[in-house]
Amino acid sequence: MRTTCVIALTFLVLAASVHAGPAVTVSVSPTTIGQGRTVAVTVTGDLPDGTLQVRFAGRTWPLYRASDRWHTYLGTDPNTAPGARAIVIELVDHDSVRVLARRTITVRGVPFPRRTIVFDPETLALLTPSFQIPLTGRISSPYGVISIYQGASHGWHHGVDIAAPEGEIVRAANSGIVRLAEPLPLSGDTVIVDHGMGILTFYMHMSAIDVTPGEIVQRGAVVGRVGSTGLATGPHLHWGVRVNGVYVDPLLWTR
């Protein structure tokens, strides 16, 4: 009976060691910080192959190996919410992520001072991220409208149509690089401006194009003239904004 119990106990110990995973020691210092301060994290232990990372405050941070341990620093700023915040040590191996350890620190709110600055209009424009509407006119077709042609649905409207007289000046909504400037079968005389970070603006159905591919344009520069080229029923500008491949409501970018 005693032999059976010893064998069973040995099996349980072995099973527990198999499922426990690698043993690591995690040092976090300090454990209480104010916003704007930094936390040092050190991990030691005999770890299997894989990449170590730390998850903290909504993002992941790399760990850097130095001899027999791994180090990293976790920064906080005024946007880091005060309170108890988890620090999670993870091991990434191909497509799997395994949690090795968890620690908790306390972030204290800091009463940062305020300052009031008044800029001249030209300087203030540098801080304005909003796009400007390419021309003034009536929105004849808003974003998202379902189009029915000859009784059949042809999808939803990827931008806004701005009705304006033929030949009215169309201006760049923001600074960028012209990626396309040519007539197309459906969208007529078309200009596409690349504003960086995956943001493109589209100017369609124009009667004239005033820029060339590769040209750098500034916010408010003339890119073309209102027209009704391509698939259009009257003079207007189709203006669209695409963010990393997705057409979004362009008017929301002007607010």
Side-chain angles (χ1 to χ4, degrees), residues 9-10 60 68 77 97 99 107 129 136 146 151-152 172 195 216 235 243 253:
L9 180 60
T10 302
T60 57
D68 61 343
D77 61 22
V97 178
V99 174
V107 178
T136 302
I146 304 297
H195 305 282
I216 297 175
V243 179
W253 284 70

Short mmCIF file of all heavy atoms in Angstrom, two decimals, residues 9-10 60 68 77 97 99 107 129 136 146 151-152 172 195 216 235 243 253:
data_model
loop_
_atom_site.label_atom_id
_atom_site.label_comp_id
_atom_site.label_asym_id
_atom_site.label_seq_id
_atom_site.Cartn_x
_atom_site.Cartn_y
_atom_site.Cartn_z
N LEU A 9 2.36 9.49 -5.63
CA LEU A 9 2.85 10.82 -5.29
C LEU A 9 3.94 11.27 -6.27
O LEU A 9 3.96 12.42 -6.71
CB LEU A 9 3.40 10.80 -3.86
CG LEU A 9 3.97 12.14 -3.34
CD1 LEU A 9 2.88 13.21 -3.36
CD2 LEU A 9 4.53 11.97 -1.93
N THR A 10 4.82 10.33 -6.62
CA THR A 10 5.88 10.65 -7.59
C THR A 10 5.29 11.06 -8.93
O THR A 10 5.74 12.01 -9.57
CB THR A 10 6.81 9.43 -7.77
OG1 THR A 10 7.35 9.08 -6.51
CG2 THR A 10 7.93 9.76 -8.75
N THR A 60 2.88 46.23 -25.96
CA THR A 60 3.91 45.26 -25.61
C THR A 60 5.28 45.93 -25.72
O THR A 60 5.49 46.81 -26.56
CB THR A 60 3.86 44.03 -26.52
OG1 THR A 60 3.99 44.43 -27.89
CG2 THR A 60 2.57 43.26 -26.32
N ASP A 68 22.88 36.41 -18.31
CA ASP A 68 21.91 35.38 -17.93
C ASP A 68 20.55 35.96 -17.55
O ASP A 68 19.75 35.31 -16.91
CB ASP A 68 22.45 34.55 -16.76
CG ASP A 68 22.69 35.40 -15.52
OD1 ASP A 68 22.76 36.65 -15.66
OD2 ASP A 68 22.80 34.84 -14.42
N ASP A 77 3.25 58.06 -18.95
CA ASP A 77 3.10 59.48 -19.27
C ASP A 77 1.77 59.97 -18.70
O ASP A 77 1.05 59.20 -18.05
CB ASP A 77 3.20 59.71 -20.78
CG ASP A 77 2.12 58.98 -21.58
OD1 ASP A 77 1.05 58.64 -21.00
OD2 ASP A 77 2.31 58.75 -22.79
N VAL A 97 1.47 32.32 -27.56
CA VAL A 97 1.91 33.27 -26.54
C VAL A 97 1.60 32.65 -25.19
O VAL A 97 0.44 32.34 -24.89
CB VAL A 97 1.21 34.63 -26.69
CG1 VAL A 97 1.65 35.58 -25.58
CG2 VAL A 97 1.48 35.24 -28.05
N VAL A 99 1.90 32.98 -20.96
CA VAL A 99 2.13 33.88 -19.84
C VAL A 99 3.05 33.18 -18.84
O VAL A 99 2.75 32.09 -18.35
CB VAL A 99 0.80 34.26 -19.15
CG1 VAL A 99 1.08 35.08 -17.90
CG2 VAL A 99 -0.08 35.05 -20.12
N VAL A 107 0.23 53.12 -10.25
CA VAL A 107 0.55 54.39 -10.91
C VAL A 107 -0.23 55.50 -10.22
O VAL A 107 -1.46 55.42 -10.10
CB VAL A 107 0.20 54.35 -12.41
CG1 VAL A 107 0.49 55.70 -13.07
CG2 VAL A 107 0.97 53.24 -13.12
N PRO A 129 -4.69 69.48 -37.40
CA PRO A 129 -4.59 68.26 -38.20
C PRO A 129 -5.76 68.05 -39.15
O PRO A 129 -5.71 67.22 -40.03
CB PRO A 129 -4.59 67.16 -37.12
CG PRO A 129 -5.40 67.75 -36.01
CD PRO A 129 -5.13 69.23 -36.04
N THR A 136 -16.31 74.88 -51.75
CA THR A 136 -17.59 75.22 -51.11
C THR A 136 -18.73 74.85 -52.04
O THR A 136 -18.70 75.18 -53.24
CB THR A 136 -17.65 76.72 -50.79
OG1 THR A 136 -16.56 77.06 -49.94
CG2 THR A 136 -18.96 77.07 -50.10
N ILE A 146 -26.66 54.19 -50.62
CA ILE A 146 -26.73 53.04 -51.53
C ILE A 146 -27.18 53.53 -52.90
O ILE A 146 -28.22 54.18 -53.03
CB ILE A 146 -27.71 51.97 -51.01
CG1 ILE A 146 -27.31 51.53 -49.59
CG2 ILE A 146 -27.74 50.78 -51.96
CD1 ILE A 146 -25.96 50.87 -49.51
N GLY A 151 -32.35 50.05 -61.52
CA GLY A 151 -33.03 49.07 -60.68
C GLY A 151 -32.13 48.09 -59.97
O GLY A 151 -32.61 47.24 -59.21
N ALA A 152 -30.79 48.19 -60.15
CA ALA A 152 -29.86 47.26 -59.49
C ALA A 152 -28.93 48.02 -58.56
O ALA A 152 -28.46 49.12 -58.88
CB ALA A 152 -29.04 46.51 -60.55
N ALA A 172 -6.54 70.96 -52.63
CA ALA A 172 -6.09 69.81 -51.84
C ALA A 172 -6.56 69.95 -50.41
O ALA A 172 -6.43 71.02 -49.80
CB ALA A 172 -4.57 69.70 -51.88
N HIS A 195 -1.26 61.42 -48.18
CA HIS A 195 -0.91 62.28 -47.05
C HIS A 195 -0.04 61.57 -46.02
O HIS A 195 0.23 62.11 -44.94
CB HIS A 195 -2.18 62.80 -46.38
CG HIS A 195 -3.10 63.50 -47.33
ND1 HIS A 195 -2.88 64.80 -47.75
CD2 HIS A 195 -4.23 63.08 -47.97
CE1 HIS A 195 -3.84 65.15 -48.60
NE2 HIS A 195 -4.66 64.13 -48.75
N ILE A 216 4.56 67.46 -55.10
CA ILE A 216 4.23 67.72 -53.70
C ILE A 216 3.31 68.93 -53.65
O ILE A 216 3.64 70.00 -54.18
CB ILE A 216 5.50 67.99 -52.87
CG1 ILE A 216 6.40 66.75 -52.85
CG2 ILE A 216 5.15 68.39 -51.44
CD1 ILE A 216 7.73 66.95 -52.15
N PRO A 235 -22.29 68.65 -63.03
CA PRO A 235 -21.03 69.12 -62.46
C PRO A 235 -20.99 68.98 -60.93
O PRO A 235 -21.88 69.47 -60.24
CB PRO A 235 -20.93 70.57 -62.90
CG PRO A 235 -22.32 70.97 -63.27
CD PRO A 235 -23.03 69.74 -63.70
N VAL A 243 -8.45 55.33 -45.58
CA VAL A 243 -7.49 55.14 -44.49
C VAL A 243 -7.07 53.68 -44.47
O VAL A 243 -7.87 52.80 -44.14
CB VAL A 243 -8.11 55.55 -43.13
CG1 VAL A 243 -7.11 55.32 -42.01
CG2 VAL A 243 -8.56 57.00 -43.17
N TRP A 253 -13.25 64.21 -41.16
CA TRP A 253 -11.86 64.63 -41.11
C TRP A 253 -11.71 66.15 -41.16
O TRP A 253 -10.59 66.66 -41.11
CB TRP A 253 -11.07 64.00 -42.26
CG TRP A 253 -10.76 62.56 -41.99
CD1 TRP A 253 -11.65 61.53 -41.96
CD2 TRP A 253 -9.49 62.00 -41.66
NE1 TRP A 253 -11.00 60.36 -41.64
CE2 TRP A 253 -9.68 60.61 -41.46
CE3 TRP A 253 -8.21 62.54 -41.53
CZ2 TRP A 253 -8.63 59.77 -41.12
CZ3 TRP A 253 -7.16 61.69 -41.20
CH2 TRP A 253 -7.38 60.32 -41.00
#
